[in-house]
Amino acid sequence: DAKTTQPNSMESNEEEPVHLPCNHSTISGTDYIHWYRQLPSQGPEYVIHGLTSNVNNRMASLAIAEDRKSSTLILHRATLRDAAVYYCILRVGTSYGKLTFGQGTILTVHP
Amino acid sequence: EAGVAQSPRYKIIEKRQSVAFWCNPISGHATLYWYQQILGQGPKLLIQFQNNGVVDDSQLPKDRFSAERLKGVDSTLKIQPAKLEDSAVYLCASSREALYNEQFFGPGTRLTVL
């Protein structure tokens, strides 16, 4: 499975934007970039996904580099409820939906 | 819509005992996943079902773990006998179809093996 590299932890202040980076230099043409987050004591929660173009939804935006070797999850205004572990995952296009989670980035949001 | 249901939420057993976890996916979801999450790590896929057939069980320790989804709806994951290293949170997830992009996770069952 193609691997992703994320910082172990990041910090932000409430109501400020947060940019969570992810490197995936071995990505192949059919790999989708997924982001999930896991709040304390809960199961992971889908955030956003994309293939080549930038994507926006009600939770976040996903910016994908032109060469697709990196991407950034953008939370436009962090709240205390956004404190979680954020996972950047490559879903292989032929893998029948399989998600391979890494260590993720622990996001701390300060009031 | 109701989310993925799992029970029990917590379980403590002695090593070499048996344990079973139950999962009821979101209604209409064809694909069901069981993940194991050890403390401090990301979830690891154990087994994936498409309806009542197994699609991927490559990371399931088949000498002690078993899972079934007999009628293509709810599922049971069993460990027999348990080892200390099986202490983890066991997460169930479902999606409409295997290639559907969003997986919905349940709250998990926290297993402690003493």
Side-chain angles (χ1 to χ4, degrees):
Chain A
D1 295 330
K3 292 197 172 182
T4 62
T5 303
Q6 299 177 252
N8 289 332
S9 63
M10 290 186 65
E11 297 187 16
S12 174
N13 294 318
E14 202 174 10
E15 298 190 4
E16 291 184 353
V18 181
H19 291 236
L20 296 164
C22 181
N23 287 319
H24 28 78
S25 58
T26 60
I27 192 171
S28 70
T30 57
D31 291 346
Y32 287 78
I33 302 161
H34 284 243
W35 284 82
Y36 280 73
R37 72 180 185 180
Q38 188 169 22
L39 279 65
S41 301
Q42 296 187 25
E45 173 188 33
Y46 168 84
V47 177
I48 200 166
H49 79 278
L51 183 61
T52 56
S53 303
N54 294 345
V55 184
N56 300 295
N57 66 19
R58 62 175 179 81
M59 289 181 69
S61 296
L62 176 61
I64 301 173
E66 197 167 331
D67 63 5
R68 302 214 317 131
K69 293 182 183 232
S70 66
S71 60
T72 302
L73 179 71
I74 303 165
L75 307 179
H76 296 285
R77 288 185 64 190
T79 69
L80 297 179
R81 292 178 57 193
D82 291 322
V85 180
Y86 286 78
Y87 296 100
C88 171
I89 302 163
L90 297 185
R91 181 175 71 77
V92 178
T94 56
S95 71
Y96 230 123
K98 177 178 179 178
L99 297 176
T100 302
F101 288 80
Q103 295 284 92
T105 296
I106 300 171
L107 176 65
T108 301
V109 180
H110 298 290
Chain B
E1 60 184 356
V4 176
Q6 290 188 247
S7 67
R9 292 295 312 278
Y10 304 92
K11 189 74 177 180
I12 301 174
I13 61 172
E14 302 275 338
K15 61 183 179 183
R16 291 188 290 274
Q17 286 187 324
S18 302
V19 64
F21 313 125
W22 175 82
C23 172
N24 191 24
I26 293 172
S27 177
H29 281 196
T31 311
L32 186 146
Y33 312 80
W34 281 103
Y35 290 84
Q36 179 193 57
Q37 185 171 24
I38 293 172
L39 187 65
Q41 299 180 17
K44 181 183 80 171
L45 179 69
L46 292 176
I47 190 167
Q48 176 181 345
F49 291 94
Q50 178 69 15
N51 296 309
N52 59 352
V54 175
V55 173
D56 185 346
D57 63 357
S58 58
Q59 298 192 93
L60 185 74
K62 298 181 186 65
D63 58 334
R64 297 184 301 105
F65 286 64
S66 63
E68 59 183 14
R69 192 185 185 199
L70 292 176
K71 297 183 179 179
V73 181
D74 57 350
S75 175
T76 303
L77 176 69
K78 296 179 181 178
I79 307 175
Q80 181 179 8
K83 293 185 175 181
L84 296 177
E85 59 261 36
D86 298 332
S87 293
V89 176
Y90 290 84
L91 295 159
C92 179
S94 70
S95 63
R96 287 200 181 96
E97 296 294 340
L99 292 179
Y100 192 81
N101 291 301
E102 183 174 357
Q103 292 186 20
F104 295 83
F105 284 79
T109 296
R110 182 176 298 277
L111 173 67
T112 301
V113 182
L114 302 176

